[in-house]
Amino acid sequence: MLLLSFAPQPPMGLLVRTSTHTEFHAGGPGRTRVVAIDGPYSEVMGGHAETGRHQSFEKLTRSLDG
């Protein structure tokens, strides 16, 4: 488990403290299931956060695939 906490960053639209909670679970031979929960985000920032998560997992997949 990985837990990160971030102070508010008003210039970026993050008006309250946010956190990211990430868990890694064995998913069978050669597989890992990742559960990530983060926020809270405003309605506007929520879409940006979701896009960023998808991009991060795509980069991780490309890196692991070599």
Side-chain angles (χ1 to χ4, degrees):
M1 175 176 42
L2 178 63
L3 179 60
L4 304 170
S5 181
F6 304 95
Q9 298 179 43
M12 295 181 62
L14 301 171
L15 304 179
V16 298
R17 177 171 291 280
T18 57
S19 63
T20 300
H21 176 177
T22 307
E23 295 180 8
F24 300 87
H25 303 272
R31 297 184 58 91
T32 302
R33 182 172 61 95
V34 179
V35 176
I37 301 169
D38 60 341
Y41 296 110
S42 67
E43 200 170 310
V44 171
M45 290 304 295
H48 295 298
E50 184 174 353
T51 298
R53 279 191 303 276
H54 288 289
Q55 291 172 345
S56 295
F57 282 113
E58 289 169 0
K59 288 177 186 177
L60 178 60
T61 299
R62 284 193 304 272
S63 177
L64 293 173
D65 287 344

